[in-house]
Amino acid sequence: MVNPETPYETPLKSKISVFRQKTTSYFSDVVMFLGGSLVAFLLLWSLWCFTAPLSSSSSSNFSSPSQPTETRPDPTTFYDDPELSYTLQTQVQNWDEKRKQWLSRNPEFTGQNRVVMVTGSKPGPCKNPVGDLYLLRFFKNKVDYCRIHGYDIFYNNVLLDPKMFTFWAKYPVIKAAMLAHPEAEWIWWVDSDAAITDMDFTLPLEKYKAHNLVIHGWPKLVFEKKSWTGLNAGVFLIRNCQWSMDLIEKWASFGPLSPDYEKWGAIMKSVFTDKLYPESDDQTGIAYLMVKEGQKWKDKIYLEDEYYFEGYWVEIVDNLDNITAYYSKVEAKERKLRRKHAEKAGEDYRAQWEYSMEKEGVKLMKRPFITHFTGCEPCSGKHNEMYSWESCLKGMNKALNFADNQVLRNFGYFRPDLDKSSWVQPLPT
Amino acid sequence: MVNPETPYETPLKSKISVFRQKTTSYFSDVVMFLGGSLVAFLLLWSLWCFTAPLSSSSSSNFSSPSQPTETRPDPTTFYDDPELSYTLQTQVQNWDEKRKQWLSRNPEFTGQNRVVMVTGSKPGPCKNPVGDLYLLRFFKNKVDYCRIHGYDIFYNNVLLDPKMFTFWAKYPVIKAAMLAHPEAEWIWWVDSDAAITDMDFTLPLEKYKAHNLVIHGWPKLVFEKKSWTGLNAGVFLIRNCQWSMDLIEKWASFGPLSPDYEKWGAIMKSVFTDKLYPESDDQTGIAYLMVKEGQKWKDKIYLEDEYYFEGYWVEIVDNLDNITAYYSKVEAKERKLRRKHAEKAGEDYRAQWEYSMEKEGVKLMKRPFITHFTGCEPCSGKHNEMYSWESCLKGMNKALNFADNQVLRNFGYFRPDLDKSSWVQPLPT
């Protein structure tokens, strides 16, 4: 069951128990235009006399301060708009133009499909005694992936808007990350209980160039079967653009900030008949938008089902030992794959693995990209009754070790047994 | 007291209780030259036919594999030496030449003072119930700093060499990181219980250009007073070069891998008379090398005492509320400092802060760069009896919130009260 006190967990394929607090409504007051902000912006612009400094290194010498000198044109941007707010309660408009202007003033960030991964958990300790250790291990796993692929990662551990609890908590964070990272083309939300289990796999961003939101899902299940489990909202890529600002506003309007929050639960349940509980949730929310609110949303959402953009752990973990053995077999055949290499220069090596695995053609033996422990609730410990806690724990441990073996390898070590976290050996020379 | 089961903690200014296991000696067998490796290397080189691939993105399509095509010259480097081992037991020689050759073949990484931060903790759960939560928070703090400054970060949570326990555990990790990251000029070890408390401060690497190791310390205390607390080995910058390979070998030779481990404790105690316990430790080890083993080491080690390269929490945490108030006062005077900005483009903003604080000239009110909770042992809970656990907990909480407020600000929020982790508010517009 979903523990309502644990932000960020994906809603489960089972009944939600109870919500922490009733909705209060100020979301309707929220959707307002920044009246007068243009005038203020222009006024500020004319007053602005920002002098950009030369040095990037800080000085610890307090005796002779020197005024930072000008090195680049006046960097005045949307940040100088005094009305700019990062909260969900205030709309951002003309974001595409604002971002474009910012990029033109910071040209070192243009021309790349930059990705910022965003994840997080609640501020306090987990109720489950090993919960925090697992949050740490899941976070390390993501940091490793991001280091290898040159992505940034932001871990949020506060509830930015107290009304947006549980799985609704991510939306204020995502909006803030979009504004704080105008250089990022994509914000990649990944639930705290999801592990990257193919460290070599690179997001096929080119494939998504006509889309603004990528979620794991199956069109048939969403559009024909009207199943709320036809997609999973625990992992998604969202493009940093006005469409996404609008989507987040719309999406969050199904949540507890909205005066219609309670009503939405019943409406969603009437459309998605396999939804067991009557509360509005973000996963059904996005499915509802696709099914009911026309082209604007649907056409820009890519439901990814060709690989494990987000995979259900129950389908995955029992196969990880076999996959390890299979990769060892492929590696034994191909000397290039046994080559040591610098972590930063692994692109050739990764491509070689992709090539070798494609040549083998055994899709089931390919490492799953992301293994999501939906229903395990490692922090709250209130796992779905469909699974035993032991199976969750064994699965998380195995998946994290499976992933970490790919990282450790670059540092000259490996774990001979995926069930034994602390037993490592040097790679054979 | 130091808990011997917690790797990576800095030894304390108090007596070590007991070590987990007795030394066994195979370090003497270890220092051996890679005999015949040159022949093997040349043979391998002639056999090598690495074909570098074009694509950086992975394909999920298994139907039509295409052989990665050549895009760069044969990348054969030291990694192709079959004798290359990442363990402490095997010497690396001619590392400067090998790194230089690697960089010449991977020119996209040259010409920058790249930094990889390395930190970590042990694999299992902390004995202290909130320990893992604090490890997670300390890690998030470091990830935030590294994201802001464009550094990589690697968190190690396995004991790579079971004999190198407690504070000795970092040396195999650092050596492995040097080999795995030839693009990094500096490896920056930061203990798990140290927090970056000035997110804007940039390492003054230019200042260290003639040195290979930077540690917080005071020359007078080390060289004249022969005090083992004249420096702190919990945070250090080490240059990725042959000198450092030699140093690590030498440094680690005081540890439990060495047949002389027990002997070294007594020798160190005889030189550093304020050392209370008779076991060899890494902190006294580096002080010993500086005092007793001549120019090779001493001249290349920079003892930093101009800023809190590593600050003792007891001196710091009670002042954090005052510092916050002081920064607010400075900010109120200078509109540029109140300006919102993109996290990635904070260089100008950071320089402006440095300038404004230098102008104020009140050094005590400058944010301390690193606050190290030496003696708090958040994971084991076996804190030094000099402090109460409550003071440690309050201090860690305050320092982490103080740091995180600087990060949150870029995302549009802040904590009004440093003691209340979960209470955040949107920045005023």
Side-chain angles (χ1 to χ4, degrees), chain A residues 81-95:
Chain A
D81 175 357
E83 299 294 318
L84 176 74
S85 163
Y86 297 73
T87 66
L88 283 182
Q89 284 86 342
T90 310
Q91 268 191 323
V92 173
Q93 294 197 325
N94 301 319
W95 179 233

Side-chain angles (χ1 to χ4, degrees), chain B residues 12-82:
Chain B
L12 280 189
K13 298 164 185 180
S14 72
K15 191 172 153 238
I16 271 197
S17 52
V18 69
F19 278 90
R20 189 171 51 182
Q21 53 189 140
K22 288 285 176 193
T23 316
T24 57
S25 55
Y26 59 94
F27 195 78
S28 60
D29 303 331
V30 157
V31 188
M32 57 178 195
F33 181 65
L34 300 175
S37 68
L38 184 64
V39 177
F41 192 87
L42 290 170
L43 181 67
L44 190 77
W45 192 308
S46 65
L47 289 171
W48 189 255
C49 57
F50 192 86
T51 49
L54 249 179
S55 168
S56 70
S57 70
S58 304
S59 163
S60 58
N61 177 358
F62 280 77
S63 57
S64 56
S66 57
Q67 175 75 30
T69 51
E70 282 191 59
T71 54
R72 56 166 80 168
D74 183 333
T76 308
T77 64
F78 65 88
Y79 287 114
D80 302 296
D81 175 357

Side-chain angles (χ1 to χ4, degrees), chain B residues 185-204:
Chain B
E185 182 63 21
W186 294 97
I187 301 294
W188 186 12
W189 174 264
V190 186
D191 269 2
S192 63
D193 58 349
I196 315 278
T197 38
D198 187 352
M199 289 287 171
D200 287 344
F201 189 83
T202 306
L203 285 170

Side-chain angles (χ1 to χ4, degrees), chain B residues 217-284:
Chain B
W218 302 267
K220 201 171 169 174
L221 288 179
V222 173
F223 292 105
E224 293 175 29
K225 300 266 183 194
K226 306 281 191 303
S227 168
W228 84 292
T229 62
L231 52 79
N232 183 300
V235 177
F236 57 83
L237 261 174
I238 188 163
R239 192 183 294 278
N240 194 355
C241 66
Q242 184 63 43
W243 181 95
S244 303
M245 288 284 180
D246 295 343
L247 177 74
I248 285 173
E249 189 191 334
K250 188 83 191 172
W251 202 349
S253 76
F254 297 130
L257 267 180
S258 160
D260 299 325
Y261 173 49
E262 288 187 65
K263 187 188 83 182
W264 277 118
I267 296 172
M268 286 176 189
K269 203 170 172 325
S270 73
V271 176
F272 293 86
T273 48
D274 63 346
K275 182 172 158 69
L276 294 172
Y277 58 93
E279 285 84 3
S280 172
D281 73 276
D282 68 330
Q283 180 164 303
T284 316

